Amino acid sequence: MQHFLEHFAVSVSAITGVLAARGKQVDLFAVIVLALVTAFGGGTIRDLLLGGHSIFWIDGPEFLLNAFITAVVMFFLVRFRELPNTVLLVADAFALALFTMVGARKGLAFAVHPSIAVAMGVITGVVGGILRDLLIGEIPLVFRREIYLYATAAFCGASFLVLLTCWSDNAQLNMILGTVVTLVLRLAG
C-alpha cells in the first residue's frame, strides 16, 4: 500500500509541477525539472533528515520514470487542452494529502518520537510545492494569504495518522483516514 501511495503521490505532484508551469513560457526540459522537483523535493528533505538509508527515488528507477513520463504526457496534454486553474489546486491538495501520509508513516517506521513523525509528514507534504513555486517565481501556496489550511491540513492529517497508529494496527485504514482528513481540510480551505 505504501509503495502504491508513493507512486500515486509522485504522479500527482509531477502533474502539479507541469500545471504550475503553464503560461511561464518554459520549454519541456524546464517543465520536467519542475515536475521532478515537485515530486521529489519533500521526500528528499525527509530522507536526508531521517538519515540511515538512501533517498527514496534513488533506490530504483521506477519513481524517476513515473515522474518523467507523467510530466511529458501532461506537458503535451495541457498544450492541446486548457484545464481550469482549480485543477492545480485540487491536484496539489491530493499531493499534499498523499505525501503527508507517506512522510508520517516513514517517520513512524524509523521509530522517531511521534512529534517528529508528524513533522516528517508535514515536510514531505509541503516542501515539493514550496520548491516548485519558488522556481517559477511565485509566492509558495503555503505562504499565500488567500490559501487556507495548507500546512495546517498536513499537520492535522499527520497528527491524526500518528494518533490512530497508537490505537490501531490497521496501517491501510489509518493511511486512508489520515489522507481523507488532510484532503477534506485542504479542500475546505
Side-chain angles (χ1 to χ4, degrees), residues 50 107 122:
L50 286 173
V122 174

Side-chain angles (χ1 to χ4, degrees), residues 81-94:
R81 180 174 169 105
E82 186 64 31
L83 299 173
N85 286 335
T86 55
V87 173
L88 172 60
L89 293 176
V90 171
D92 194 67
F94 271 96

Side-chain angles (χ1 to χ4, degrees), residues 20-41:
R22 288 183 305 175
K24 300 295 182 188
Q25 304 302 318
V26 295
D27 64 3
L28 178 60
F29 177 76
V31 169
I32 291 170
V33 168
L34 282 172
L36 295 177
V37 165
T38 308
F40 301 143

